[in-house]
Structure formats: C-alpha cells, structure tokens
Amino acid sequence: MLMRSTLAALALLTGVAGAQAQTKTEVVMQYPFPELFTETHKQIAEEFAKVRPDIKVTMRAPYESYEDATQRVLREAVTNQVPDVTFQGLNRIRVLVDKNIPAPLDDYIAAEKDFDKQGFHQAMYDIGTTSGKVYALPFAISLPVVYINTDLAKKAGADIDNLPTTWDGLFDLAKKIRATTPGANGMTYAWDITGNWLWQAPVFARGGTMLNADETRVAFNGPEGQAAIRTIARVVTDGGMPNFDQPASRAAFAAGKTGIHITSTSDLNKITQMIGDKFVLKTHTFPDVIAPNGRLPAGGNVVMITAKDKAKRDASWEVVKFWTGPKGAAIMAETTGYMPPNKVANDTYLKDFYVKNPNNYTAVKQLPLLTKWYAFPGDNGLKITDVLKDHLNSIISGARTKEPDAVLADMTTDVQKLLPKSVGAAK
C-alpha cells in the first residue's frame, strides 16, 4: 500500500513537472558584435534563468554588425523568420518601424507598476520612440572618447593630468609622439565604425547636422562639415594614420604602436584586455565639442520585440525588462565599455564601479552632450551609409587625402541623389 502511494505521488509530481516543462515558453534572441557582447548576454541569460525558469532564452548566431542585423531582419520579416527579440543599432529603429516589424511597447510599459523604481525613465523611452510610440528600449549606450597610451605620451612630454581638449592640441601631441618614438603611429581614428558614427561626431560636436530641419537637403556640407572632413584628413597627414580599418587600428593601439586612438567606449573592455600590462591606458573626452550647440551622437544598441504570437510577445517583454533592468544593465556595463541607460544600475549596482574604473567614467562625464545617432530617411538610408563610408575611405587610403573639400562636395552630391524623390527634389 505504501509503495502504491509513493508511486502515485511520484507519478503526480512527474506529471506536474512535465506540464511545467510543456508550458515553458521559448524566446529566440539575436544580437550583434559577438566579440563585444557574447559574454555579456551569456551572463545576463544565466541570471535571468534563475528568476524566470519558465522562459527559455535561445541565442541565435550573432549578427556581425548593425548593418548585418538590420539587413537580416528585413529579409527574415518577408518569410516570417525573425527572432522574437532582436538587438539593433540606435540608428536602425527608424527603418524597421517603417516596415512595421517591431511591436510597440507602450501597453507593456503602461501596465508596469513602479517602473521608475526599477530605473526606467522617460529618456530611455525617448531613444526608442518613433512616430509617438515606443518600439525599443536602449540596452547599451556609447560615446566617442580618446584613448591615450600614457607611456608614449609621457615620452613625448605630455602632462597626463592635463591632456589636450582640442584637435590642434591632439595633433601636436601626435607629431611629438611620432618624433620621440620612431615607427609609432601618432594617431588613429575609427572612421569606419558602423553607421558613419565617427563622421557624425565631429559634425555634431560643432553644432552641425546631417540634413536640414525638414530633411529635404544635405546639411553636413556647411562650416561644421568642412571642419570635420579636414580634421579626418589631418588624422592621416598630421597624425600619421596608416590605411587602417577599425580592427587594425584597435590592434595597433593595443600592441603599443599608437599613441592616440579615437573610437567608441564600446571598445574599452576589449582594448583593456588586449593591452594587458604592456602600458597604462587613459581615456579622455572627445575634442572640440563647441558650446552651446555641440553634441555627440549616442552609439550602442536597443532591444526590440519582433514576435507576432501574443504568448511569445508577453514572454519577450519579460526578457526585455530584465536585459534593460538594473541587473542586466549592470552586467552589461561591467563586461563592456558601454554605459547603462538604467538609473538604478548606475546609482546602485555600479556605485563603486566607476570609482575603481575611471576609464569607464569618461563617457559618463559626456552624457550631457548626448544626442540621437542620425538615420537617413527613405529606402536608400542604408545605401547612404555605404556611400559616405566609401568617400571617407578615399581620404584614409591616401587616394584623396589632400583634397578633403572636394571629397565633401562629392559626398554632398551623392547623398542628395539618394534622398527620397519627394525630398531630394525639394529646393
């Protein structure tokens, strides 16, 4: 009798466990830049599993870049093969919303109680808002900063506690580094970062814009753009930058062969690991952000829900909340060079982190300068990104380094042609 009761109890428990297993909801997730984010998402997923064992998060093979992420989702949307949750560049929200791919999050946000106490706030919603609705929540925010090899800089006579805050000052230091350390690169610039981010940065820093207010004409060909294109040419002529892409620039700097490297905070964790004990790294603020209108484009990525099924969407919302909430955001900050947009993560979880890691705090000091990473309108928006990259490459490669103004004129003409017909034809 006892054995029968025991067996019955075991059968009941097995049935309950089986029912729970059957009701477990799978959420398929995909994210870009595995070299930066694989460990981050792995750690967050492990923590999420502890609090929501009823939701299984499955990771697809990562996207290579933001462009790759957007192109693949656009293709997959046609055949209904999109993941349930996708991480996209901040400047890619517009194109996906235009194609009705992500789900609006407003009802989920409204249904949450005391959401502000979990660190969510209006500025987070603003980043992912398009046409009056919230379609994305920011996960990782980056800003451009200056990386300094303090060993080479000291050898060149620099005061490490009072580093230059202007382009002229940085170029002067770059020349001295080249003079005092033969064979070293004075400066490198990650010009080819996804989405023309470091083309927008020096334009925005002087108060410029990509297009005019109603997006009918190119506006980066004004004084701000002229200064920006000439500055990028000086990186080659005065800074001594070889024909490097972003990975090559990163590797040369981490190897101790470059004095000054300008790139995103997103590279900080990776570069720090690559440097090891070869030299002392110091980060510094982006140069020549001119008051009162100078700004810097916020880089990084947002998370969107693309699931169509309601149960999948509901489970995906729980995933999105955790990834962008205090715990997920803190893990993201500790494993990358990005900043978390979540207030509780910054004020509580990371309270001592920035004290111990001042290089990570440089970007935080620049937060008042933050503006949106611009996305060009129309079906040719992604193509415009490639066109700008090709023109910038002509300067970095040496082909047109000595004629930056002519390059800017060609950029202007080519981009204007690619604006929507109703826009590009406006006078």
Side-chain angles (χ1 to χ4, degrees):
M1 185 71 177
L2 179 59
M3 181 173 289
R4 288 179 182 177
S5 298
T6 302
L7 290 173
L10 287 172
L12 179 61
L13 288 172
T14 301
V16 171
Q20 288 178 338
Q22 290 174 0
T23 59
K24 195 168 187 174
T25 304
E26 181 184 33
V27 171
V28 178
M29 176 185 290
Q30 200 161 11
Y31 60 89
F33 297 117
E35 71 275 16
L36 297 178
F37 285 108
T38 291
E39 181 60 28
T40 299
H41 288 295
K42 177 185 175 183
Q43 289 190 25
I44 298 176
E46 289 172 353
E47 292 299 319
F48 179 73
K50 295 176 184 177
V51 297
R52 292 305 301 261
D54 57 316
I55 299 174
K56 177 186 177 182
V57 176
T58 300
M59 303 285 184
R60 279 190 187 174
Y63 309 116
E64 292 181 4
S65 64
Y66 292 144
E67 283 84 359
D68 178 44
T70 304
Q71 293 285 15
R72 286 171 66 174
V73 168
L74 288 171
R75 290 195 301 268
E76 291 166 350
V78 177
T79 55
N80 293 318
Q81 293 179 313
V82 293
D84 302 309
V85 171
T86 180
F87 288 78
Q88 296 282 329
L90 268 71
N91 65 332
R92 301 306 183 194
I93 300 170
R94 181 179 193 167
V95 65
L96 296 179
V97 171
D98 285 348
K99 298 296 183 181
N100 298 312
I101 294 173
L105 305 179
D106 303 79
D107 290 345
Y108 285 113
I109 293 170
E112 292 291 334
K113 295 181 179 179
D114 299 324
F115 213 34
D116 58 329
K117 292 182 181 179
Q118 298 177 46
F120 295 87
H121 51 90
Q122 189 59 45
M124 287 184 68
Y125 308 142
D126 288 345
I127 287 176
T129 297
T130 298
S131 303
K133 292 185 178 181
V134 182
Y135 288 94
L137 288 180
F139 173 64
I141 299 295
S142 63
L143 285 170
V145 295
V146 179
Y147 291 64
I148 302 286
N149 179 326
T150 59
D151 293 7
L152 295 184
K154 286 178 181 178
K155 187 177 177 181
D159 180 353
I160 300 303
D161 294 323
N162 294 282
L163 290 166
T165 58
T166 66
W167 281 110
D168 285 342
L170 285 175
F171 285 130
D172 181 61
L173 177 56
K175 289 177 182 177
K176 292 177 180 177
I177 288 171
R178 295 171 68 190
T180 54
T181 305
N185 307 308
M187 179 189 295
T188 52
Y189 189 77
W191 63 276
D192 59 334
I193 280 183
T194 180
N196 312 131
W197 194 58
L198 279 181
W199 162 242
Q200 294 185 19
V203 177
F204 291 169
R206 292 179 176 271
T209 58
M210 291 293 103
L211 300 184
N212 62 0
D214 61 4
E215 298 187 313
T216 59
R217 305 295 295 177
V218 168
F220 58 67
N221 59 337
E224 301 87 3
Q226 292 166 12
I229 201 79
R230 292 168 190 168
T231 295
I232 291 174
R234 288 183 69 188
V235 173
V236 179
T237 58
D238 296 355
M241 177 174 173
N243 185 12
F244 279 171
D245 59 9
Q246 184 186 3
S249 294
R250 178 198 298 137
F253 180 77
K257 298 177 181 179
T258 303
I260 303 166
H261 180 48
I262 300 173
T263 189
S264 169
T265 51
S266 63
D267 257 355
L268 182 55
N269 190 59
K270 184 175 184 65
I271 286 178
T272 300
Q273 292 177 352
M274 291 171 69
I275 291 171
D277 59 1
K278 289 191 287 289
F279 62 87
V280 177
L281 165 67
K282 182 172 183 177
T283 59
H284 192 45
T285 53
F286 194 83
D288 282 336
V289 182
I290 309 299
N293 298 319
R295 296 290 184 269
L296 292 173
N301 55 79
V302 297
V303 56
M304 298 176 167
I305 295 176
T306 46
K308 302 299 181 185
D309 175 76
K310 186 180 185 303
K312 288 266 191 178
R313 279 192 179 182
D314 292 346
S316 296
W317 173 244
E318 297 303 318
V319 170
V320 168
K321 273 196 308 182
F322 191 86
W323 254 253
T324 58
K327 185 66 174 179
I331 291 172
M332 182 280 301
E334 291 168 348
T335 55
T336 72
Y338 287 92
M339 298 173 290
N342 186 287
K343 284 184 176 180
V344 172
N346 275 316
D347 298 342
T348 303
Y349 285 84
L350 298 170
K351 189 175 182 179
D352 299 322
F353 177 74
Y354 292 125
V355 175
K356 297 177 181 177
N357 299 275
N359 282 334
N360 292 73
Y361 191 68
T362 299
V364 178
K365 291 189 293 186
Q366 296 182 147
L367 278 176
L369 303 173
L370 185 147
T371 192
K372 279 190 175 182
W373 185 1
Y374 185 74
F376 288 91
D379 292 338
N380 289 325
L382 294 178
K383 188 173 182 179
I384 289 173
T385 297
D386 292 335
V387 166
L388 291 174
K389 183 178 179 180
D390 288 343
H391 281 298
L392 293 174
N393 183 48
S394 73
I395 292 177
I396 300 299
S397 68
R400 303 185 69 185
T401 307
K402 297 181 179 180
E403 50 180 36
D405 289 353
V407 173
L408 182 63
D410 290 343
M411 286 170 63
T412 300
T413 299
D414 290 347
V415 170
Q416 189 67 46
K417 290 177 181 177
L418 290 171
L419 293 175
K421 289 182 179 180
S422 59
V423 174
K427 301 295 183 184

